[in-house]
Every structure is written in structure tokens, then in C-alpha cells.
Amino acid sequence: MKDDTDITYRPFETIEAGRGSRWLVTCDHATNIVPASVNGGDLGLPAEDMARHIAWDPGAAGVARRLAERLDAPLTMTRFSRLVIDPNRGEDDPTLVMRLYDGSVIPANRAVGAAEIERRLDAFWRPYDAELDRLAKRRADTVFVSIHSFTPRLNGRGDRPWQIGVLHGADDRFARPLLARLRREPDLCVGENEPYGGHLPGDAVDRHAIANGLPNVLIELRNDVIASEEDQIAWADRLAPILREVLAETGL
């Protein structure tokens, strides 16, 4: 998706006014926008690839918006594709700018050099990172909830059965009780650190929640179960009371 509003372009969107709860909701891969300052707004991929999970997390932004409303939580989301630069990677991560992803070569990234990566860091990654830092530190008791989505299957791989995955690293104070609560839902297949491992050194949760000692969880939803606006609303309506219940029970 090409962004045609570069005059007023900002690399993130934050909704905060009037929301005073201790929750913070984030969405690192909210959009597939390629800003005009990056190769003229075109990474060289066909539209069908830009619509896939390789460019963003389909459905995640819709869930994050509704969940933040229900939790009275500030929300911040990216306004650039993960293929431009991935805000859920550390600055020194070799997958910060992907050249090949799930079978698709990204033409505008194939020969990307250090100077261009540094420019993208300054233009996109660092402003969003600074906003995460500001919001995570606005209260000492912030609870950090990161919303992502995953594809039902990668090319050449098997089906992924989980509708929802709860990801965590060593700090599982909130995530493990949430896992237990979700597993009491009879219609859900719940993954622990599925379909991905929960701790990636230097990722957004590591930088802004774990580093600050904040209770945290990264929630992955299979993107076919949040494909429509109605699905996104239903999941937000379902998750909000469960998150509140778990926080109250843990006493964090």
C-alpha cells in the first residue's frame, strides 16, 4: 500500500486523550503502508504480496483499537510496513530489514545498504520507539499488551491450529496466568509461545516492558479469525474482561 499523504506523514498513530488506565496497548505491525520516501512508496512487490502477512499483521490494528477502547488504554500503532523496517526487532537484528520473507524477495530491500537502513531507523523505527518509551513510562504500574496476528500457514508448512497464542519471555508473571485462563475457554486452541518463541532480545516488549519491569504479554491472533470488523470487535469484547480478570487475580 502506498502512502499518498507524505506532507503530513507520521510514522505512528497514538490515541491517548482521556484514557487514564494502567493498560497500554500497542500494535507494531498495524499497516502495510510504504511511505513515499522509501523507493517512491513501492517496495517492488505485487499487491497480493503487500496484502499478505509478510507486509503487516492483518486484522491486528482493528483488534488493538477496540481492545484499547474497552480497557480505557492509550494505544500506539505504526504507520509503516514491517518490510520498510521492523519495529519489533532490535536495531542490530539481521532481520530488521527483510530481503526475503516467506518465499517472496523484496526488490527494494535486496541491495539495501547501511546508510539507507540508518535513514529508515531515523525516519520510522526511532520515532515509534520513542513513543513506546514515553507511553510505557507514563505510569510506573503500566501493563504492556502487544497485539499481533499470524498467518494460518507459511508457504510449504503445515496448518497452525491455534486461534490465539500467548507469548512471553522470562517475565511471565502476567502471561502464564492469562494462558491458564484462556485454556479454560472450551472453544479455543491456545498456544504458549506459538507460533513463535516469546522472547526475542531487543524486541519491542523486551525494550519497553521487560527493561522497565512492567507486567507484559504479546498476544498473537490467527489472522483468519480476525478478518472482518465484526470478528475484531468480537475478539476485543472477549479479551478485555479476561485481561482485567487475570490482572485482578494476579495482584500485579
Side-chain angles (χ1 to χ4, degrees):
M1 179 178 177
K2 182 175 178 179
D3 178 69
D4 294 317
T5 59
D6 252 40
I7 292 173
T8 58
Y9 176 79
R10 294 189 73 197
F12 58 85
E13 175 187 1
T14 294
I15 302 171
E16 181 182 14
R19 297 185 179 183
S21 82
R22 58 184 296 205
W23 299 96
L24 170 62
V25 178
T26 71
C27 189
D28 299 328
H29 302 144
T31 182
N32 56 0
I33 288 173
V34 179
S37 61
V38 178
N39 204 50
D42 187 349
L43 294 174
L45 286 169
E48 55 267 28
D49 265 348
M50 288 304 298
R52 293 204 299 135
H53 68 98
I54 66 171
W56 63 319
D57 282 358
V63 175
R65 284 183 185 276
R66 274 76 177 197
L67 184 62
E69 289 172 359
R70 285 145 184 77
L71 295 174
D72 188 35
L75 165 69
T76 192
M77 306 184 293
T78 53
R79 295 193 65 248
F80 55 91
S81 169
R82 67 192 301 173
L83 294 179
V84 170
I85 194 163
D86 195 331
N88 197 37
R89 297 291 185 271
E91 288 198 29
D92 59 350
D93 192 297
T95 64
L96 183 66
V97 176
M98 294 291 282
R99 293 163 173 83
L100 172 69
Y101 195 175
D102 195 23
S104 293
V105 173
I106 297 87
N109 291 348
R110 286 180 67 179
V112 69
E116 173 60 12
I117 292 174
E118 183 67 18
R119 190 190 72 80
R120 295 187 195 182
L121 281 164
D122 278 342
F124 311 112
W125 192 100
R126 287 174 181 141
Y128 177 66
D129 188 66
E131 183 71 348
L132 286 177
D133 184 65
R134 182 185 73 81
L135 290 167
K137 291 177 177 176
R138 83 195 193 288
R139 292 180 54 147
D141 62 350
T142 293
V143 183
F144 194 104
V145 179
S146 182
I147 301 296
H148 291 250
S149 74
F150 64 95
T151 184
R153 69 194 60 81
L154 292 170
N155 284 330
R157 307 285 183 89
D159 291 344
R160 291 161 155 180
W162 317 279
Q163 294 107 326
I164 185 170
V166 175
L167 277 59
H168 63 82
D171 181 1
D172 58 4
R173 294 171 294 160
F174 185 69
R176 199 165 291 283
L178 177 61
L179 269 165
R181 173 61 184 83
L182 288 169
R183 285 173 171 160
R184 297 204 300 269
E185 298 286 296
D187 61 326
L188 291 185
C189 180
V190 182
E192 178 178 359
N193 284 334
E194 298 287 0
Y196 310 108
H199 182 61
L200 181 64
D203 70 5
V205 173
D206 188 33
R207 297 194 308 270
H208 299 290
I210 295 173
N212 292 315
L214 303 178
N216 65 86
V217 67
L218 191 154
I219 294 174
E220 287 269 6
L221 291 159
R222 206 176 65 212
N223 64 35
D224 62 332
V225 305
I226 54 170
S228 70
E229 183 177 3
E230 292 77 12
D231 294 333
Q232 295 157 18
I233 291 169
W235 272 97
D237 286 344
R238 185 174 194 173
L239 286 172
I242 290 174
L243 290 167
R244 286 197 186 97
E245 176 188 329
V246 170
L247 185 62
E249 288 178 352
T250 61
L252 290 168

